[in-house]
Amino acid sequence: MTTTMAQALNAALRDALKEDDNVLVFGEDVGALGGVFRVTDGITADFGEDRCFDTPLAESGIVGFAVGMAMGGFRPVVEMQFDAFAYPAFEQITSHVAKLRNRTRGALELPMVIRIPYAGGIGGVEHHCDSSEVYYTHTPGLRVVTPGTAQDAYDLLRDAIESPDPVIFLEPKVRYWSGEEVSFTRRGPAMDKAVVRRHGKDVTLIAYGPMVATAMETAEAAKDEGWDVEVVDLRSLSPFDDETVTASVRRTGRAVVVHEAAGFGGYGAEVVARVTEQCFHQLHAPVLRVTGLDIPYPAPKLERHTLPDVDRILDTIARLQWHDTPVVAGA
């Protein structure tokens, strides 16, 4: 039976609520409505308003409340509703969520999950689509993960809820309705491990979240061009799994990083730096990026012009110096 990513997340929340009475789910419209994307559909009806409940429209208050609950022994799972709605809570996240364990010299853990539907592809209006992952990955003290498949949505959310550390859980909105066969018996790879989604020998595509499916589509299309493409799904943005990524790039000798956030100062720049530093002598060409444009997130009818797609990724792969012809200055 096919399970969508939204259904897999719902199942993960339900299983966590069943197994641990300290797990609580709250946020804007997560109760009776079941969330904007219906990820929490039916949970309040089945578990009661004490376990899954609505909050005021005050993101800073939601996260601040969750901090207190986590300090008191609960495991709160909060929803920010939309990526760009989370910014009012940014001070709480960076100043308190990320720092509390360090400030208390490890005396206080903060086992909480902040679920954020993120990225584009759904035709959302202003403030409803953004790719804000780099704000969180740049903040020490936070784990940042994002599923690219329905199976990973279930596995990663279960692991995130059980983690003693605060987790920013980025849910790619455009993939909520994508489905596959999902096993609920667990467990998949560890939460901080990347996985090779497709093996290949010519070039490594490094992607995460909404771009994993796009990378897989590209790998299939690349066969017509004679390229055998390997796809690595990062899953964990922080911490970063250097071992899996660099092992893949050393095998293929070429790499392209794909994400829909803006390119300048984007997450891909860190990936390129790490891969270049660790794989320099195995690289046959510079590591390239395919990213969103360096503009504010566009209006719905224009987003297709900024989101990476198969054609843009194939064009970038073609630039990876496939012919070992020396370049002569001034020629």
Side-chain angles (χ1 to χ4, degrees), residues 33-95:
L33 180 65
V36 172
F37 298 99
R38 302 300 185 266
V39 170
T40 55
D41 190 37
I43 292 181
T44 296
D46 293 342
F47 290 89
E49 294 183 351
D50 290 339
R51 304 290 304 283
C52 180
F53 52 89
D54 292 330
T55 64
L57 305 182
E59 288 79 13
S60 181
I62 293 169
V63 174
F65 179 55
V67 170
M69 296 292 282
M71 291 174 67
F74 290 94
R75 290 182 176 271
V77 183
V78 303
E79 179 180 309
M80 292 286 97
Q81 198 169 69
F82 285 96
D83 34 37
F85 289 11
Y87 298 142
F90 196 65
E91 192 278 331
Q92 287 283 353
I93 293 170
T94 57
S95 296

CSV table of all heavy atoms in Angstrom, one decimal, residues 33-95:
chain,number,residue,atom,x,y,z
A,33,LEU,N,-8.2,21.0,13.1
A,33,LEU,CA,-8.0,21.1,11.6
A,33,LEU,C,-7.1,20.0,11.1
A,33,LEU,O,-7.2,19.5,10.0
A,33,LEU,CB,-7.4,22.4,11.2
A,33,LEU,CG,-7.1,22.7,9.8
A,33,LEU,CD1,-8.4,22.7,9.0
A,33,LEU,CD2,-6.4,24.0,9.5
A,34,GLY,N,-6.1,19.6,12.0
A,34,GLY,CA,-5.2,18.5,11.5
A,34,GLY,C,-4.0,19.1,10.8
A,34,GLY,O,-3.3,18.4,10.1
A,35,GLY,N,-3.7,20.4,10.9
A,35,GLY,CA,-2.6,21.1,10.3
A,35,GLY,C,-3.0,21.5,8.9
A,35,GLY,O,-3.9,20.9,8.2
A,36,VAL,N,-2.3,22.5,8.4
A,36,VAL,CA,-2.5,23.0,7.1
A,36,VAL,C,-2.4,21.9,6.0
A,36,VAL,O,-3.1,21.9,5.0
A,36,VAL,CB,-1.6,24.2,6.8
A,36,VAL,CG1,-1.7,24.7,5.3
A,36,VAL,CG2,-2.0,25.4,7.7
A,37,PHE,N,-1.4,21.1,6.2
A,37,PHE,CA,-1.1,20.0,5.3
A,37,PHE,C,-1.6,18.7,5.7
A,37,PHE,O,-1.3,17.6,5.2
A,37,PHE,CB,0.4,19.9,5.0
A,37,PHE,CG,0.9,21.2,4.3
A,37,PHE,CD1,1.6,22.2,5.1
A,37,PHE,CD2,0.8,21.4,3.0
A,37,PHE,CE1,2.1,23.3,4.5
A,37,PHE,CE2,1.3,22.6,2.4
A,37,PHE,CZ,1.9,23.5,3.2
A,38,ARG,N,-2.4,18.7,6.8
A,38,ARG,CA,-3.1,17.5,7.4
A,38,ARG,C,-2.1,16.5,7.9
A,38,ARG,O,-2.4,15.3,8.0
A,38,ARG,CB,-4.0,16.8,6.3
A,38,ARG,CG,-5.1,17.8,5.8
A,38,ARG,CD,-6.0,18.3,6.9
A,38,ARG,NE,-7.1,19.1,6.4
A,38,ARG,CZ,-7.1,20.4,6.2
A,38,ARG,NH1,-6.0,21.1,6.6
A,38,ARG,NH2,-8.1,21.1,5.8
A,39,VAL,N,-0.9,16.9,8.3
A,39,VAL,CA,0.0,16.0,8.9
A,39,VAL,C,-0.4,15.5,10.2
A,39,VAL,O,-0.2,14.4,10.6
A,39,VAL,CB,1.4,16.7,9.0
A,39,VAL,CG1,2.4,15.8,9.8
A,39,VAL,CG2,2.0,16.9,7.6
A,40,THR,N,-1.2,16.3,11.0
A,40,THR,CA,-1.6,15.9,12.3
A,40,THR,C,-3.1,15.5,12.3
A,40,THR,O,-3.8,15.5,13.3
A,40,THR,CB,-1.4,17.1,13.3
A,40,THR,OG1,-2.1,18.3,12.8
A,40,THR,CG2,0.0,17.3,13.5
A,41,ASP,N,-3.6,15.2,11.1
A,41,ASP,CA,-5.0,14.8,10.9
A,41,ASP,C,-5.4,13.7,11.9
A,41,ASP,O,-4.8,12.6,11.9
A,41,ASP,CB,-5.3,14.4,9.5
A,41,ASP,CG,-6.7,14.3,9.2
A,41,ASP,OD1,-7.5,15.1,9.7
A,41,ASP,OD2,-7.1,13.4,8.4
A,42,GLY,N,-6.5,13.9,12.7
A,42,GLY,CA,-7.1,12.9,13.5
A,42,GLY,C,-6.3,12.7,14.8
A,42,GLY,O,-6.8,11.9,15.7
A,43,ILE,N,-5.2,13.3,15.1
A,43,ILE,CA,-4.4,13.0,16.3
A,43,ILE,C,-5.1,13.5,17.5
A,43,ILE,O,-5.1,12.8,18.5
A,43,ILE,CB,-3.0,13.5,16.1
A,43,ILE,CG1,-2.2,12.8,15.0
A,43,ILE,CG2,-2.2,13.5,17.4
A,43,ILE,CD1,-0.8,13.2,14.8
A,44,THR,N,-5.6,14.7,17.5
A,44,THR,CA,-6.3,15.2,18.6
A,44,THR,C,-7.5,14.4,19.0
A,44,THR,O,-7.8,14.1,20.2
A,44,THR,CB,-6.8,16.7,18.4
A,44,THR,OG1,-5.6,17.5,18.2
A,44,THR,CG2,-7.6,17.2,19.6
A,45,ALA,N,-8.3,14.0,18.0
A,45,ALA,CA,-9.5,13.1,18.2
A,45,ALA,C,-9.1,11.8,18.8
A,45,ALA,O,-9.8,11.3,19.7
A,45,ALA,CB,-10.2,12.8,16.9
A,46,ASP,N,-7.9,11.2,18.5
A,46,ASP,CA,-7.5,9.9,19.0
A,46,ASP,C,-6.7,10.0,20.3
A,46,ASP,O,-6.8,9.1,21.1
A,46,ASP,CB,-6.7,9.2,17.9
A,46,ASP,CG,-7.5,8.8,16.7
A,46,ASP,OD1,-8.7,8.8,16.8
A,46,ASP,OD2,-6.9,8.6,15.7
A,47,PHE,N,-6.0,11.1,20.5
A,47,PHE,CA,-5.1,11.2,21.7
A,47,PHE,C,-5.6,12.2,22.7
A,47,PHE,O,-5.0,12.3,23.8
A,47,PHE,CB,-3.7,11.4,21.3
A,47,PHE,CG,-3.0,10.3,20.6
A,47,PHE,CD1,-3.1,10.1,19.2
A,47,PHE,CD2,-2.3,9.3,21.3
A,47,PHE,CE1,-2.5,9.1,18.6
A,47,PHE,CE2,-1.7,8.2,20.7
A,47,PHE,CZ,-1.8,8.1,19.3
A,48,GLY,N,-6.5,13.1,22.3
A,48,GLY,CA,-7.0,14.1,23.3
A,48,GLY,C,-6.3,15.4,23.2
A,48,GLY,O,-5.2,15.5,22.7
A,49,GLU,N,-7.0,16.4,23.7
A,49,GLU,CA,-6.4,17.8,23.6
A,49,GLU,C,-5.3,18.0,24.5
A,49,GLU,O,-4.6,19.0,24.4
A,49,GLU,CB,-7.6,18.8,23.9
A,49,GLU,CG,-8.6,18.8,22.8
A,49,GLU,CD,-9.7,19.9,23.1
A,49,GLU,OE1,-9.7,20.5,24.2
A,49,GLU,OE2,-10.5,20.1,22.2
A,50,ASP,N,-5.0,17.1,25.4
A,50,ASP,CA,-3.9,17.3,26.3
A,50,ASP,C,-2.6,16.8,25.6
A,50,ASP,O,-1.5,17.2,26.0
A,50,ASP,CB,-4.0,16.4,27.6
A,50,ASP,CG,-5.1,17.0,28.5
A,50,ASP,OD1,-5.4,18.1,28.4
A,50,ASP,OD2,-5.6,16.2,29.3
A,51,ARG,N,-2.7,16.0,24.5
A,51,ARG,CA,-1.5,15.5,23.9
A,51,ARG,C,-1.3,16.2,22.5
A,51,ARG,O,-0.1,16.3,22.1
A,51,ARG,CB,-1.7,14.0,23.6
A,51,ARG,CG,-1.9,13.2,24.8
A,51,ARG,CD,-0.7,13.1,25.7
A,51,ARG,NE,0.5,12.6,25.1
A,51,ARG,CZ,0.8,11.3,24.8
A,51,ARG,NH1,-0.1,10.4,25.1
A,51,ARG,NH2,1.9,11.0,24.3
A,52,CYS,N,-2.3,16.7,21.9
A,52,CYS,CA,-2.2,17.4,20.6
A,52,CYS,C,-3.1,18.6,20.6
A,52,CYS,O,-4.4,18.4,20.6
A,52,CYS,CB,-2.5,16.5,19.4
A,52,CYS,SG,-2.3,17.3,17.8
A,53,PHE,N,-2.6,19.8,20.6
A,53,PHE,CA,-3.5,21.0,20.8
A,53,PHE,C,-3.0,22.2,20.0
A,53,PHE,O,-1.8,22.3,19.7
A,53,PHE,CB,-3.6,21.3,22.3
A,53,PHE,CG,-2.2,21.5,23.0
A,53,PHE,CD1,-1.6,22.7,23.1
A,53,PHE,CD2,-1.6,20.4,23.6
A,53,PHE,CE1,-0.4,22.9,23.7
A,53,PHE,CE2,-0.4,20.6,24.3
A,53,PHE,CZ,0.2,21.8,24.3
A,54,ASP,N,-4.0,23.1,19.8
A,54,ASP,CA,-3.7,24.4,19.1
A,54,ASP,C,-3.1,25.4,20.0
A,54,ASP,O,-3.3,25.4,21.2
A,54,ASP,CB,-5.0,24.9,18.5
A,54,ASP,CG,-5.5,24.1,17.4
A,54,ASP,OD1,-4.7,23.4,16.7
A,54,ASP,OD2,-6.8,24.0,17.2
A,55,THR,N,-2.3,26.3,19.4
A,55,THR,CA,-1.7,27.4,20.2
A,55,THR,C,-2.1,28.7,19.5
A,55,THR,O,-2.6,28.7,18.4
A,55,THR,CB,-0.2,27.3,20.1
A,55,THR,OG1,0.3,27.5,18.7
A,55,THR,CG2,0.3,26.0,20.6
A,56,PRO,N,-1.9,29.8,20.2
A,56,PRO,CA,-2.1,31.1,19.6
A,56,PRO,C,-1.1,31.3,18.4
A,56,PRO,O,-0.1,30.6,18.3
A,56,PRO,CB,-1.8,32.1,20.7
A,56,PRO,CG,-1.9,31.4,21.9
A,56,PRO,CD,-1.5,30.0,21.6
A,57,LEU,N,-1.4,32.3,17.5
A,57,LEU,CA,-0.6,32.6,16.4
A,57,LEU,C,0.6,33.4,16.9
A,57,LEU,O,0.7,34.6,16.6
A,57,LEU,CB,-1.3,33.3,15.3
A,57,LEU,CG,-2.6,32.6,14.8
A,57,LEU,CD1,-3.3,33.5,13.7
A,57,LEU,CD2,-2.3,31.2,14.3
A,58,ALA,N,1.5,32.7,17.5
A,58,ALA,CA,2.7,33.4,18.1
A,58,ALA,C,3.9,32.5,18.1
A,58,ALA,O,4.1,31.7,19.1
A,58,ALA,CB,2.4,33.9,19.5
A,59,GLU,N,4.6,32.5,17.0
A,59,GLU,CA,5.7,31.5,16.9
A,59,GLU,C,6.8,31.6,18.0
A,59,GLU,O,7.2,30.5,18.5
A,59,GLU,CB,6.4,31.6,15.5
A,59,GLU,CG,5.5,31.2,14.4
A,59,GLU,CD,4.4,32.2,14.0
A,59,GLU,OE1,4.5,33.3,14.4
A,59,GLU,OE2,3.5,31.8,13.2
A,60,SER,N,7.1,32.8,18.4
A,60,SER,CA,8.1,32.9,19.5
A,60,SER,C,7.6,32.3,20.8
A,60,SER,O,8.3,31.6,21.5
A,60,SER,CB,8.4,34.4,19.7
A,60,SER,OG,9.4,34.5,20.7
A,61,GLY,N,6.3,32.5,21.0
A,61,GLY,CA,5.7,31.9,22.2
A,61,GLY,C,5.6,30.4,22.1
A,61,GLY,O,5.8,29.7,23.1
A,62,ILE,N,5.3,29.9,20.9
A,62,ILE,CA,5.2,28.4,20.8
A,62,ILE,C,6.6,27.8,21.1
A,62,ILE,O,6.6,26.8,21.9
A,62,ILE,CB,4.8,28.1,19.3
A,62,ILE,CG1,3.4,28.5,19.0
A,62,ILE,CG2,5.0,26.6,19.1
A,62,ILE,CD1,3.0,28.4,17.6
A,63,VAL,N,7.7,28.3,20.6
A,63,VAL,CA,9.0,27.7,20.8
A,63,VAL,C,9.4,28.0,22.3
A,63,VAL,O,10.0,27.1,22.9
A,63,VAL,CB,10.0,28.3,19.8
A,63,VAL,CG1,11.4,27.8,20.2
A,63,VAL,CG2,9.6,27.9,18.4
A,64,GLY,N,9.2,29.2,22.8
A,64,GLY,CA,9.5,29.4,24.2
A,64,GLY,C,8.8,28.5,25.1
A,64,GLY,O,9.4,28.0,26.1
A,65,PHE,N,7.5,28.3,24.9
A,65,PHE,CA,6.7,27.3,25.7
A,65,PHE,C,7.3,25.9,25.6
A,65,PHE,O,7.4,25.2,26.5
A,65,PHE,CB,5.3,27.3,25.2
A,65,PHE,CG,4.3,26.4,25.9
A,65,PHE,CD1,4.2,26.4,27.3
A,65,PHE,CD2,3.6,25.5,25.2
A,65,PHE,CE1,3.3,25.6,27.9
A,65,PHE,CE2,2.7,24.6,25.8
A,65,PHE,CZ,2.6,24.7,27.2
A,66,ALA,N,7.7,25.5,24.3
A,66,ALA,CA,8.3,24.2,24.1
A,66,ALA,C,9.6,24.1,24.9
A,66,ALA,O,9.9,23.0,25.4
A,66,ALA,CB,8.5,24.0,22.7
A,67,VAL,N,10.4,25.1,25.0
A,67,VAL,CA,11.7,25.1,25.7
A,67,VAL,C,11.4,24.7,27.2
A,67,VAL,O,12.0,23.9,27.8
A,67,VAL,CB,12.4,26.4,25.6
A,67,VAL,CG1,13.6,26.5,26.6
A,67,VAL,CG2,12.9,26.6,24.2
A,68,GLY,N,10.4,25.4,27.8
A,68,GLY,CA,10.0,25.2,29.2
A,68,GLY,C,9.5,23.8,29.4
A,68,GLY,O,9.9,23.1,30.4
A,69,MET,N,8.7,23.3,28.4
A,69,MET,CA,8.2,21.9,28.5
A,69,MET,C,9.3,20.9,28.4
A,69,MET,O,9.4,19.9,29.2
A,69,MET,CB,7.2,21.7,27.4
A,69,MET,CG,6.0,22.5,27.4
A,69,MET,SD,4.9,22.2,28.8
A,69,MET,CE,4.1,20.7,28.2
A,70,ALA,N,10.3,21.1,27.5
A,70,ALA,CA,11.4,20.2,27.4
A,70,ALA,C,12.3,20.2,28.7
A,70,ALA,O,12.8,19.2,29.1
A,70,ALA,CB,12.2,20.5,26.2
A,71,MET,N,12.5,21.4,29.2
A,71,MET,CA,13.2,21.5,30.5
A,71,MET,C,12.5,20.7,31.6
A,71,MET,O,13.2,20.2,32.6
A,71,MET,CB,13.4,22.9,30.9
A,71,MET,CG,14.4,23.7,30.0
A,71,MET,SD,14.4,25.5,30.3
A,71,MET,CE,15.2,25.5,32.0
A,72,GLY,N,11.2,20.6,31.5
A,72,GLY,CA,10.4,20.0,32.6
A,72,GLY,C,10.2,18.5,32.3
A,72,GLY,O,9.5,17.8,33.1
A,73,GLY,N,10.9,17.9,31.3
A,73,GLY,CA,10.8,16.5,31.1
A,73,GLY,C,10.0,16.0,30.0
A,73,GLY,O,9.9,14.8,29.7
A,74,PHE,N,9.3,16.9,29.3
A,74,PHE,CA,8.4,16.5,28.2
A,74,PHE,C,9.3,16.5,26.9
A,74,PHE,O,10.4,16.9,26.8
A,74,PHE,CB,7.3,17.5,28.0
A,74,PHE,CG,6.2,17.4,29.1
A,74,PHE,CD1,6.3,18.2,30.2
A,74,PHE,CD2,5.2,16.4,29.0
A,74,PHE,CE1,5.4,18.1,31.3
A,74,PHE,CE2,4.3,16.3,30.1
A,74,PHE,CZ,4.4,17.1,31.2
A,75,ARG,N,8.7,15.9,25.9
A,75,ARG,CA,9.3,15.9,24.5
A,75,ARG,C,8.3,16.6,23.5
A,75,ARG,O,7.6,15.9,22.9
A,75,ARG,CB,9.6,14.5,24.1
A,75,ARG,CG,10.7,13.8,24.8
A,75,ARG,CD,11.0,12.4,24.4
A,75,ARG,NE,12.2,11.9,25.1
A,75,ARG,CZ,13.5,12.0,24.7
A,75,ARG,NH1,13.7,12.7,23.6
A,75,ARG,NH2,14.4,11.5,25.4
A,76,PRO,N,8.4,17.9,23.5
A,76,PRO,CA,7.4,18.6,22.6
A,76,PRO,C,7.8,18.5,21.2
A,76,PRO,O,9.0,18.5,20.8
A,76,PRO,CB,7.6,20.1,23.1
A,76,PRO,CG,8.9,20.2,23.7
A,76,PRO,CD,9.2,18.8,24.3
A,77,VAL,N,6.8,18.4,20.3
A,77,VAL,CA,7.0,18.4,18.9
A,77,VAL,C,6.1,19.5,18.4
A,77,VAL,O,4.9,19.5,18.4
A,77,VAL,CB,6.6,17.1,18.2
A,77,VAL,CG1,6.8,17.2,16.7
A,77,VAL,CG2,7.3,15.9,18.8
A,78,VAL,N,6.7,20.6,17.9
A,78,VAL,CA,5.9,21.8,17.5
A,78,VAL,C,6.0,22.0,16.0
A,78,VAL,O,6.9,21.6,15.4
A,78,VAL,CB,6.4,23.1,18.3
A,78,VAL,CG1,6.4,22.9,19.8
A,78,VAL,CG2,7.8,23.5,17.8
A,79,GLU,N,4.9,22.6,15.5
A,79,GLU,CA,4.8,22.9,14.1
A,79,GLU,C,4.8,24.4,13.9
A,79,GLU,O,4.1,25.1,14.5
A,79,GLU,CB,3.6,22.3,13.5
A,79,GLU,CG,3.4,22.6,12.0
A,79,GLU,CD,2.2,22.0,11.4
A,79,GLU,OE1,2.0,20.7,11.6
A,79,GLU,OE2,1.5,22.7,10.7
A,80,MET,N,5.6,24.9,12.9
A,80,MET,CA,5.7,26.3,12.6
A,80,MET,C,4.8,26.7,11.4
A,80,MET,O,4.7,27.8,11.0
A,80,MET,CB,7.1,26.7,12.2
A,80,MET,CG,8.1,26.6,13.4
A,80,MET,SD,7.9,28.0,14.6
A,80,MET,CE,6.9,27.2,15.8
A,81,GLN,N,4.1,25.7,10.9
A,81,GLN,CA,3.1,25.9,9.8
A,81,GLN,C,3.7,26.2,8.5
A,81,GLN,O,3.4,25.5,7.5
A,81,GLN,CB,2.0,26.9,10.2
A,81,GLN,CG,0.8,26.8,9.3
A,81,GLN,CD,-0.4,27.7,9.8
A,81,GLN,OE1,-0.3,28.9,9.8
A,81,GLN,NE2,-1.4,27.1,10.3
A,82,PHE,N,4.5,27.3,8.3
A,82,PHE,CA,5.2,27.5,7.1
A,82,PHE,C,6.6,28.0,7.4
A,82,PHE,O,6.8,28.7,8.5
A,82,PHE,CB,4.5,28.6,6.3
A,82,PHE,CG,3.2,28.1,5.6
A,82,PHE,CD1,2.0,28.3,6.1
A,82,PHE,CD2,3.3,27.5,4.3
A,82,PHE,CE1,0.8,27.9,5.5
A,82,PHE,CE2,2.2,27.0,3.7
A,82,PHE,CZ,0.9,27.2,4.3
A,83,ASP,N,7.5,27.8,6.5
A,83,ASP,CA,8.9,28.2,6.7
A,83,ASP,C,9.1,29.6,7.1
A,83,ASP,O,9.8,30.0,8.1
A,83,ASP,CB,9.8,27.8,5.5
A,83,ASP,CG,9.0,28.0,4.2
A,83,ASP,OD1,8.2,28.9,4.1
A,83,ASP,OD2,9.2,27.2,3.3
A,84,ALA,N,8.5,30.5,6.3
A,84,ALA,CA,8.8,32.0,6.6
A,84,ALA,C,8.0,32.4,7.8
A,84,ALA,O,8.2,33.6,8.2
A,84,ALA,CB,8.4,32.8,5.3
A,85,PHE,N,7.0,31.6,8.3
A,85,PHE,CA,6.3,32.0,9.5
A,85,PHE,C,7.2,31.8,10.8
A,85,PHE,O,6.9,32.2,11.8
A,85,PHE,CB,5.1,31.2,9.7
A,85,PHE,CG,4.0,31.5,8.8
A,85,PHE,CD1,4.1,32.3,7.7
A,85,PHE,CD2,2.7,31.0,9.0
A,85,PHE,CE1,3.1,32.6,6.8
A,85,PHE,CE2,1.6,31.3,8.1
A,85,PHE,CZ,1.9,32.1,7.0
A,86,ALA,N,8.3,31.0,10.6
A,86,ALA,CA,9.1,30.6,11.7
A,86,ALA,C,10.1,31.7,12.2
A,86,ALA,O,10.6,31.6,13.3
A,86,ALA,CB,9.9,29.4,11.4
A,87,TYR,N,10.3,32.7,11.4
A,87,TYR,CA,11.2,33.7,11.7
A,87,TYR,C,11.0,34.5,13.0
A,87,TYR,O,11.9,34.8,13.7
A,87,TYR,CB,11.4,34.7,10.6
A,87,TYR,CG,11.9,34.1,9.3
A,87,TYR,CD1,11.4,34.5,8.0
A,87,TYR,CD2,12.8,33.1,9.3
A,87,TYR,CE1,11.9,33.9,6.9
A,87,TYR,CE2,13.3,32.5,8.2
A,87,TYR,CZ,12.8,32.9,6.9
A,87,TYR,OH,13.2,32.3,5.8
A,88,PRO,N,9.7,34.7,13.4
A,88,PRO,CA,9.5,35.4,14.7
A,88,PRO,C,10.1,34.5,15.9
A,88,PRO,O,10.3,35.1,17.0
A,88,PRO,CB,8.0,35.5,14.8
A,88,PRO,CG,7.6,35.6,13.4
A,88,PRO,CD,8.5,34.7,12.6
A,89,ALA,N,10.3,33.2,15.7
A,89,ALA,CA,10.8,32.4,16.7
A,89,ALA,C,12.3,32.2,16.6
A,89,ALA,O,12.9,31.5,17.4
A,89,ALA,CB,10.1,31.0,16.6
A,90,PHE,N,12.9,32.9,15.7
A,90,PHE,CA,14.3,32.7,15.4
A,90,PHE,C,15.2,33.0,16.6
A,90,PHE,O,16.2,32.4,17.0
A,90,PHE,CB,14.8,33.5,14.2
A,90,PHE,CG,16.1,33.0,13.6
A,90,PHE,CD1,16.2,31.8,13.1
A,90,PHE,CD2,17.2,33.9,13.7
A,90,PHE,CE1,17.5,31.4,12.5
A,90,PHE,CE2,18.4,33.5,13.1
A,90,PHE,CZ,18.5,32.2,12.6
A,91,GLU,N,14.8,34.1,17.4
A,91,GLU,CA,15.6,34.5,18.5
A,91,GLU,C,15.5,33.4,19.6
A,91,GLU,O,16.6,33.0,20.2
A,91,GLU,CB,15.1,35.8,19.1
A,91,GLU,CG,16.0,36.4,20.1
A,91,GLU,CD,15.8,35.9,21.5
A,91,GLU,OE1,14.7,35.4,21.8
A,91,GLU,OE2,16.8,35.9,22.3
A,92,GLN,N,14.4,32.8,19.8
A,92,GLN,CA,14.2,31.7,20.8
A,92,GLN,C,15.1,30.5,20.4
A,92,GLN,O,15.8,29.9,21.2
A,92,GLN,CB,12.8,31.3,20.9
A,92,GLN,CG,11.8,32.3,21.6
A,92,GLN,CD,12.0,32.2,23.1
A,92,GLN,OE1,12.7,31.3,23.6
A,92,GLN,NE2,11.4,33.1,23.8
A,93,ILE,N,15.1,30.2,19.1
A,93,ILE,CA,15.8,29.1,18.6
A,93,ILE,C,17.3,29.3,18.7
A,93,ILE,O,18.0,28.4,19.2
A,93,ILE,CB,15.4,28.8,17.1
A,93,ILE,CG1,14.0,28.3,17.0
A,93,ILE,CG2,16.4,27.7,16.5
A,93,ILE,CD1,13.4,28.3,15.6
A,94,THR,N,17.8,30.4,18.3
A,94,THR,CA,19.3,30.6,18.3
A,94,THR,C,19.8,30.9,19.7
A,94,THR,O,20.9,30.5,20.0
A,94,THR,CB,19.7,31.7,17.3
A,94,THR,OG1,19.0,32.9,17.7
A,94,THR,CG2,19.3,31.4,15.9
A,95,SER,N,19.1,31.7,20.5
A,95,SER,CA,19.6,32.1,21.8
A,95,SER,C,19.3,31.1,22.9
A,95,SER,O,20.1,31.1,23.9
A,95,SER,CB,18.9,33.5,22.2
A,95,SER,OG,19.3,34.5,21.3
